[in-house]
Structures are given as C-alpha cells and as structure tokens.
Amino acid sequence: MAPATVYSMDLNVKNDKGILPRLTTLMKKAGLEDVIEKGDLTAIKLHFGELGNTAFVRPLFVRPVVEAVEKAGGKPFLTDAGTLYVGMRGNAVDHLNSALYNGFGHSSVGAPLIIADGLSGNDEIAVPVKSKHFKEAFIAAALVRAQALVSVAHFKLHEVAGFGGAMKNVGMGGGSRRGKMAQHSNVAPVIKAKKCIACGQCLKQCVHGALSLVKRGEAKKSPHPKVTKLAVIDKTKCVGCAMCMHSCKQQAIDVDWSGTIPDFLERMVDYTAAALSGKHDKSLFINFLTQISPACDCHSWADAPIVGDIGIMASKDPVALDKASVDMLQKQPASPLSRLAGKTDPDKIRAIYPHIPWEHQFAYAEKIGLGSQKYVIETI
C-alpha cells in the first residue's frame, strides 16, 4: 500500500495568519473539496464533550470546518451518537442540551446539530461487514445516510484503546447503542478485592444491572475488618462501558487484561470501516493535537495535558492520520505537571496504560484495507 499524505500545521502565527485561516488552508490542501459534491448532506462527526470536560475541540475551531464544507457545496450538520455510560449524552435531549451548554449552538458553529442515532440510541442501520467478529455492524442512521463525512477528533489517550483519534471517533463514536455494546461486549472489568470497600458507588453508575454487593468469603477477605461485602460483576450483563471504573475512587475496578483488548481494538476498527462504507472516497479526517489529556473526553473533567499543544493534522486516510498523530506525540517532551511525571517508559501511551497493545489497531486496520500505516508529512 502506497504511503498516504498527512497534512500538518503547528499553532504559530505565519505571515500574520493565525490558527483559524491556517486551518482553512489545511483542509483545502488535504482535499476537502475533493470529497464533497454540491448538495451533499455532510456529517461533521465530533465529540460535543461531557458536561464539565474542558478538553474537547472548541466550537470556535469547528466553525471554519462548517464554512469550508459550505464553500465546497455541501450541507453540513454537526453530529455524534449517544453513549452507553451514565452521563449527559445518553439520549438525544440530554446530548443536545450538553452540546448547547458547551457552546455548539447554531449561532456559534453555523450548522444544525443532529444526534445520529436518534432519541434513545436505537435509530440505526445494519451495515453488512466481513470480519471475524461481525456479519453486520449497527451504525447510527444519520451517519449512514449522510453523503459525505468530515471527522473532527480531539486526539488524546484512552483507558481501553490506548488513544483516541480518527478511527475511534468514527468507529466507536459512530456506532448506535447496540453497536457500542457489540464493540465492548468482550471487555469486562474485574474487581480488586483488597481495594474494594463496598461503598456501592459503582452500582449506582451501572445502568445494565451488572454489579451487586455480596458477602466476602475467606479467600477474598478485606484488609479492613469492617468491610464485609464485595462488589461483583455479572459478565453476562456487563457491556464493558467502563463507567464503573470511572466512578470508583478506590481504584478497585480495572480492565481484565487477559487477552481481550486486541479483540476490542479489532471490533472498533471493524466499526470504523462499516461507518465509512460507501464513503471511503467521500471522507476527510482532522485530528486536533491540543490539550492532549490522559483520558477520554467522556469524563466530566479533563486531567492536565501530558505534553504541550502540537497542532492540527488532516488526511483522507484515517489510519495514516492516527499513526502520524501517535508518532508526533511520542516525539514531544513530557509535561512534568502531568500523569507522565516520573514515568520512565519512552512510550507515552504505555507509560500510562502499560497493558494496552495500542499498536494492534494499526496492524489490523491495514490488514482489512482501511488505510496505510505508511505516510508522508506535508507541512502547511
């Protein structure tokens, strides 16, 4: 497979031009006008940010994307699909209210907002796929029906995927509720008995009824004499959304690292391919390498960036774009005020998530023909 071209810009002022006009130039160089035809209903797929999160791509940067799509003749709309986890984006009403709260109003971005999988997360289309995991993928209907797609992703680290960029934005983000469950279905957390204090907080977060408190046996006796119960997970009900992990202040819930993560990464890539079905030549991908946080934007907070802001990158190839983004991240000095402080592993992703074989998604994506790991950088 021939190397793909990845277009890159830093955040400096060049020839008296700031970030916004340079972003417009970046999109033009990357071929936005090539993927959009006059009248195309164009999905701008992004993450509106959970309430309280401060790392998502700001509406100020989305407005030039909307304007560029309109100039190319397209009819843009901003979109994302609902979540599995407990939060303010689980249904269309809460999701839209969250987006508006975070600044994505029509007056700010110049385009309407559409929740891609409908009111309750079940407006979906089954897209046929050929993979070892699926025969069909359940993709949010508005994404399937859109005639062109522009992915606007905040590049950051992620607790299960290792990192989140273009592939995760389209694959995981583009799945309906059932589609997200299918991707997570073999990734169930485990309880660390010695750390669990049976506070019950994880039970409150689990909307799938997969958690309960049971009496401890001798083999799992707590170091705290007053703690006589233990949280347990029913893996037949667990969908792997990991919200229980986020809710546990004792860090008593962790991912089961017994070989499930590679399958999860493959499923996510399969969904990326499904979401792009029929639109491989009608899609452009943009990664914002800014405020690179150590965790997903699905949290109601954003931790300190692990490196300084790098810039913005774009390509027609989501695999090459994500690979270039990871490579760019690895070259940066670690922030001494972040979670990388004191870490010695030169791999910044593995330094924080040592058990995640994040490279596997690239090999699998290339294997199924989604894109190329080989790329050349053209600097704007």
Side-chain angles (χ1 to χ4, degrees):
M1 188 174 291
T5 303
V6 176
Y7 298 84
S8 176
M9 60 170 274
D10 59 29
L11 303 180
N12 297 314
V13 174
K14 300 288 177 65
N15 299 322
D16 295 327
K17 289 186 177 181
I19 297 174
L20 300 184
R22 292 182 63 221
L23 172 58
T24 299
T25 301
L26 177 75
M27 290 184 287
K28 184 174 182 179
K29 289 282 188 180
L32 178 66
E33 294 174 355
D34 299 333
V35 304
I36 297 174
E37 300 177 51
K38 186 175 181 180
D40 277 351
L41 296 174
T42 304
I44 299 178
K45 170 63 182 73
L46 68 159
H47 191 305
F48 294 121
E50 190 64 43
L51 284 183
N53 190 279
T54 55
F56 58 89
V57 178
R58 302 294 189 277
L60 178 68
F61 298 115
V62 177
R63 182 70 182 244
V65 182
V66 169
E67 292 172 346
V69 170
E70 290 178 332
K71 186 177 180 180
K75 297 181 179 181
F77 62 95
L78 307 189
T79 192
D80 194 8
T83 63
L84 276 179
Y85 61 80
V86 176
M88 289 303 295
R89 296 184 303 120
N91 61 71
V93 175
D94 289 341
H95 204 157
L96 286 171
N97 282 331
S98 298
L100 292 171
Y101 185 90
N102 284 340
F104 291 96
H106 196 290
S107 60
S108 298
V109 295
L113 278 61
I114 297 174
I115 302 306
D117 57 349
L119 184 64
S120 302
N122 54 9
D123 188 3
E124 62 191 15
I125 293 176
V127 177
V129 294
K130 293 181 180 180
S131 80
K132 64 181 181 181
H133 299 289
F134 305 111
K135 292 183 179 179
E136 57 186 5
F138 299 99
I139 305 299
L143 285 179
V144 177
R145 294 183 179 126
Q147 294 156 314
L149 181 143
V150 178
S151 165
V152 177
H154 172 226
F155 182 81
K156 67 280 182 186
L157 301 196
H158 189 271
E159 300 87 330
V160 184
F163 71 89
M167 288 190 287
K168 186 173 185 300
N169 185 45
V170 174
M172 180 59 66
S176 65
R177 183 181 298 276
R178 178 160 50 160
K180 288 181 172 66
M181 289 177 69
Q183 292 176 70
H184 282 98
S185 63
N186 70 334
V187 183
V190 293
I191 305 294
K192 295 181 178 179
K194 290 184 178 179
K195 289 188 175 183
C196 179
I197 61 172
C199 66
Q201 189 62 38
C202 57
L203 276 67
K204 298 177 183 178
Q205 291 295 317
C206 185
V207 297
H208 306 287
L211 280 148
S212 60
L213 294 177
V214 300
K215 187 176 180 179
R216 287 177 182 260
E218 286 297 319
K220 294 184 178 180
K221 191 174 182 180
S222 172
H224 308 289
K226 293 184 179 180
V227 179
T228 60
K229 291 187 176 182
L230 173 70
V232 296
I233 299 174
D234 183 344
K235 293 190 176 183
T236 64
K237 296 180 179 180
C238 177
V239 301
C241 68
M243 282 308 294
C244 57
M245 291 172 57
H246 308 330
S247 70
C248 183
K249 296 180 180 179
Q250 310 303 318
Q251 297 183 329
I253 308 177
D254 199 2
V255 171
D256 181 356
W257 302 107
S258 59
T260 60
I261 299 302
D263 279 349
F264 164 78
L265 294 173
E266 291 178 5
R267 289 166 186 259
M268 183 183 74
V269 171
D270 282 338
Y271 261 71
T272 304
L276 295 175
S277 179
K279 286 194 280 288
H280 286 279
D281 298 325
K282 300 279 292 178
S283 300
L284 184 74
F285 308 90
I286 305 169
N287 280 358
F288 279 72
L289 283 72
T290 56
Q291 202 170 341
I292 301 177
S293 47
C296 183
D297 291 345
C298 295
H299 293 289
S300 58
W301 43 263
D303 208 348
I306 59 175
V307 298
D309 286 353
I310 299 172
I312 308 171
M313 307 179 83
S315 180
K316 293 179 182 177
D317 186 324
V319 182
L321 177 61
D322 279 355
K323 183 64 166 61
S325 299
V326 168
D327 291 346
M328 191 70 77
L329 165 68
Q330 303 288 26
K331 295 176 183 178
Q332 308 306 310
S335 171
L337 301 177
S338 73
R339 285 181 59 186
L340 283 178
K343 305 288 187 181
T344 58
D345 194 327
D347 181 336
K348 293 179 175 63
I349 302 174
R350 194 160 276 111
I352 295 178
Y353 301 114
H355 301 290
I356 298 179
W358 55 266
E359 304 97 325
H360 183 68
Q361 59 192 289
F362 289 122
Y364 184 76
E366 194 170 59
K367 180 180 178 181
I368 68 170
L370 182 61
S372 174
Q373 294 189 67
K374 298 178 181 179
Y375 63 88
V376 292
I377 293 283
E378 184 171 323
T379 302
I380 302 301

